[in-house]
Amino acid sequence: MFSSAEYWAGGNQVWRAEHVGENGPINLKTSGILPRGFEAMAAEHKEAQEADGGEKAGVDHYFDIPLDAAKEVIGFKHDEDIPGVDYEGFEVLRKMSSSADSKPWWRFWK
């Protein structure tokens, strides 16, 4: 289980947070000027990890620390629903075949 997030501005990395779960569930590397609230958020995940058994827990709370740091900056997390978005309104698009698609120029043997 690997998660990471980083923030760049003006071509420079401002901060980075990385969790490599195969190095153990209590694994977090950070650098730079972390987002406001990062320390409190990381402390919550650390507390949850310890409550579930620490290193021997069957869960990895530290995985979410970099993801929550990114959410702090951009306002959403990849695996959460965004209020106000109509997910039923998305339409799956499919490519329509044409005679030009039936035989690419480089497949001269077909």
Side-chain angles (χ1 to χ4, degrees):
M1 300 223 343
F2 175 85
S3 65
S4 71
E6 49 192 76
Y7 179 73
W8 291 72
N12 298 309
Q13 187 179 62
V14 177
W15 61 264
R16 177 176 171 80
E18 176 182 284
H19 170 70
V20 182
E22 58 192 46
N23 293 340
I26 300 176
N27 176 279
L28 183 67
K29 292 181 184 176
T30 61
S31 63
I33 302 167
L34 297 163
R36 182 183 8 226
F38 181 86
E39 295 301 324
M41 178 261 309
E44 287 178 28
H45 287 290
K46 179 180 180 183
E47 185 178 305
Q49 187 71 41
E50 291 302 319
D52 285 337
E55 288 279 349
K56 299 189 183 327
V59 66
D60 184 349
H61 291 281
Y62 275 60
F63 178 85
D64 283 320
I65 295 174
L67 305 178
D68 287 343
K71 179 180 179 180
E72 187 73 25
V73 175
I74 61 174
F76 71 93
K77 193 171 163 209
H78 75 286
D79 61 350
E80 295 177 349
D81 286 341
I82 301 170
V85 173
D86 176 17
Y87 291 98
E88 298 300 319
F90 287 101
E91 183 178 338
V92 177
L93 302 177
R94 290 181 176 74
K95 182 178 178 182
M96 296 178 65
S97 65
S98 68
S99 60
D101 292 335
S102 62
K103 182 180 174 185
W105 65 268
W106 53 271
R107 285 194 179 168
F108 56 86
W109 61 89
K110 284 192 171 192

